[in-house]
Amino acid sequence: MQVWKSGAVGLGLAILSGSALSHVGVASGPAFAGDRTIVDLSVPHGCDGMDTLRVEVDIPEQFTSVQPIDNVFGPATFETNSEGGISKIIWTKPVENALAADDHYYKLSFRATLPDAPFTVAALPTTQYCQTPDGNETFVSWDELPAEGGHDHHAAGSHPAPTLMIFPQRFPGWNQYVAPDHLHDMSIFDDAEIVWKNDVEAYSANPVTVQMIESDADVSVLGQIHPGETFWVKY
């Protein structure tokens, strides 16, 4: 499984689907390159009003030392690749525990060491299974991958795979980075105080700071960062 590069892809989009009301996504906080971290997947809805009974997630091969975490579904199972690494995690709820309606939110988690690949996006293709009233299995595949460069947006009715943005390591205060790729979605820095480039371009999600940037005749709003450019981020 590949790690798809592009800071512009972001953290995933909340998409409405005809098969499920909201897509499976990543619900955990910022993930950092090379860290051992817990990744949380959110399952906000079942399939067409039916409770979710099983979830299978494909694990990128760049994720190492993967450990499934058991939850309300029960013990997690997994599949391995030819090298013995975990390539798929499966959470299965006993059929007799199925709820009468799609009214629960589920969080499914695993622990892994992330690749040392700052400003890349890892896709976690996921399949969600439910059971119809007559006992047949139905499913939704959340497996549409972000386009290279991140310019494409998923339309309503599509099934985007959950994605995890991998950030570089950070410290409180100023951090200096060099863009490994084209970063054109500045919202990946929305938890920062401010982003500066060349002392003349700045970005912030804070509306007051935005007003200050826009009122300064010597500074313009930062909209993108090109590969190889140096920039500063204050957290």
Side-chain angles (χ1 to χ4, degrees):
M1 189 61 59
Q2 184 181 4
V3 170
W4 283 268
K5 295 168 68 174
S6 175
V9 174
L11 299 175
L13 302 174
I15 302 296
L16 295 178
S17 165
S19 299
L21 294 179
S22 185
H23 79 299
V24 177
V26 174
S28 41
F32 302 104
D35 266 8
R36 187 127 178 87
T37 190
I38 291 177
V39 178
D40 296 328
L41 290 173
S42 66
V43 184
H45 292 285
C47 321
D48 289 328
M50 294 168 288
D51 187 33
T52 299
L53 287 183
R54 186 167 84 254
V55 176
E56 301 180 0
V57 57
D58 293 333
I59 306 299
E61 63 183 14
Q62 293 88 349
F63 285 30
T64 58
S65 302
V66 178
Q67 293 178 300
I69 299 175
D70 300 339
N71 55 33
V72 68
F73 278 37
T77 59
F78 58 86
E79 298 177 3
T80 58
N81 56 31
S82 59
E83 298 180 352
I86 291 180
S87 57
K88 183 190 293 286
I89 301 176
I90 303 130
W91 293 271
T92 305
K93 182 195 294 186
V95 173
E96 59 270 21
N97 292 345
L99 302 178
D102 170 26
D103 54 13
H104 275 52
Y105 170 93
Y106 297 113
K107 183 171 73 173
L108 312 175
S109 306
F110 65 91
R111 190 169 181 245
T113 299
L114 303 182
D116 187 12
F119 295 120
T120 62
V121 174
L124 302 166
T126 298
T127 306
Q128 177 183 10
Y129 294 86
C130 303
Q131 183 172 279
T132 63
D134 58 6
N136 293 320
E137 187 174 77
T138 185
F139 67 91
V140 182
S141 295
W142 303 102
D143 56 4
E144 295 180 16
L145 303 177
E148 189 70 27
H151 290 284
D152 290 354
H153 296 284
H154 294 286
S158 63
H159 298 84
T163 56
L164 178 71
M165 167 64 73
I166 300 176
F167 289 93
Q169 296 289 336
R170 66 174 65 163
F171 298 93
W174 288 103
N175 296 262
Q176 179 178 311
Y177 302 122
V178 176
D181 203 347
H182 189 192
L183 308 178
H184 53 81
D185 179 3
M186 293 296 98
S187 68
I188 65 173
F189 300 111
D190 278 359
D191 62 336
E193 290 186 34
I194 195 167
V195 182
W196 276 98
K197 189 183 80 169
N198 299 329
D199 291 330
V200 294
E201 295 180 88
Y203 172 85
S204 177
N206 184 307
V208 175
T209 306
V210 171
Q211 289 181 358
M212 296 174 66
I213 294 170
E214 293 176 339
S215 65
D216 191 330
D218 296 323
V219 179
S220 59
V221 175
L222 177 61
Q224 60 183 325
I225 302 172
H226 296 284
E229 289 187 324
T230 300
F231 61 101
W232 291 262
V233 184
K234 186 177 182 181
Y235 290 100

